[in-house]
Structure formats: C-alpha cells, structure tokens
Amino acid sequence: MNLQKEKNHLTMKELRSFGLIMGALFPLIFGIIIPWKFEYAWPLWPWILSGFFSINAIFLPQALKPIYKIWIKLGDFLGWINTRVILGIMLYAVFTPVGLILKLLGKDPMARKFQPQLKSYRIKPDSNENNSMENPF
C-alpha cells in the first residue's frame, strides 16, 4: 500500500519521529556495526548525517519532508522487488522442484486423485469429542 497516496498530510510528530530514528540508525549501522564487524576504518559521515537528522527533527521537522517522501518511494520500490522478483525466485527455486520430486515419487499429500467409486470425498474426523473445539491443537 502506498503511504503517500493514502496520507497526503504529514504531521510534525511523524516527521520528528522519522528524523530521530534516522539520526539513531545511521551512526549505529554505518558508524559502529559495519566498521566493527568488517574491521573498516571508523567513518565520520554517519555521525554528520546523524547530526543533520537529529537537529532537523528537533528544531525544524518540516525540512525532513522531501527526504521522507524519497524514503517512502524507495520503500515502495523495494517492496515491489520483494513481492515480484524474490518471491518469484522462491516459487521456481523451491516449490517447483519439491512438487516435481513428489510427483516423480508418486506422492499426493493433498489426496487429489479422482476416485469414481466414492460417493463423497469428505474425510470424517478421528474423534467426535465434545471438548475437541476447546483445545484444537
């Protein structure tokens, strides 16, 4: 769902929250975690960016509105990639081979084979206890 189309007016609280979150995450991820994990030099730019976001979030949240809009559009684009490309790859790399292997082995876990001698395909439950719906699992 596109947040920009759904909500045209951003409140100061939302922009302030966005600025403070970005001001905390940039130095945490790019200034501490990545340099520490991969043994890189400690960069200065995440701290400068953090100061920009934090100061604007506190004193001038409206200045973050264009950055927020770009951030939301980036999120929409990455969501599009996620739903189409990554899930498509999962379908063809995981589910299709599993289905083909089951078909080659003659397995039918959903019991979909046509059986003309049956009057109904309904499978009766194992138990008819009165408390079976109280604890279904």
Side-chain angles (χ1 to χ4, degrees):
M1 182 180 301
N2 189 343
L3 293 177
Q4 287 301 102
K5 291 179 184 174
E6 178 183 309
K7 196 173 194 179
N8 292 330
H9 180 64
L10 295 169
T11 64
M12 297 288 268
K13 182 180 178 184
E14 290 170 330
L15 290 172
R16 186 170 285 130
S17 176
F18 168 72
L20 292 174
I21 289 170
M22 295 300 279
L25 288 181
F26 267 106
L28 180 67
I29 295 171
F30 297 107
I32 297 173
I33 294 175
I34 292 177
W36 173 67
K37 177 79 173 153
F38 297 106
E39 298 178 2
Y40 293 150
W42 299 92
L44 183 61
W45 69 266
W47 302 99
I48 295 170
L49 200 57
S50 171
F52 168 78
F53 276 111
S54 300
I55 290 170
N56 278 317
I58 295 169
F59 297 112
L60 194 60
Q62 286 292 0
L64 296 174
K65 194 172 188 176
I67 299 170
Y68 179 81
K69 287 182 178 183
I70 292 170
W71 188 257
I72 292 298
K73 288 182 182 182
L74 177 67
D76 286 343
F77 175 70
L78 292 175
W80 183 89
I81 289 174
N82 184 36
T83 56
R84 287 161 181 86
V85 177
I86 295 174
L87 293 177
I89 290 169
M90 288 295 294
L91 172 73
Y92 291 111
V94 176
F95 298 118
T96 302
V98 168
L100 291 174
I101 290 169
L102 287 175
K103 192 163 195 92
L104 288 173
L105 295 175
K107 305 283 184 187
D108 188 18
M110 291 176 51
R112 296 174 297 164
K113 293 180 181 169
F114 180 66
Q115 298 174 7
Q117 73 276 10
L118 293 178
K119 291 181 180 181
S120 172
Y121 286 97
R122 180 174 181 257
I123 299 172
K124 294 190 179 197
D126 293 336
S127 66
N128 259 345
E129 299 175 13
N130 290 338
N131 64 352
S132 64
M133 292 305 286
E134 291 177 12
N135 298 315
F137 303 105

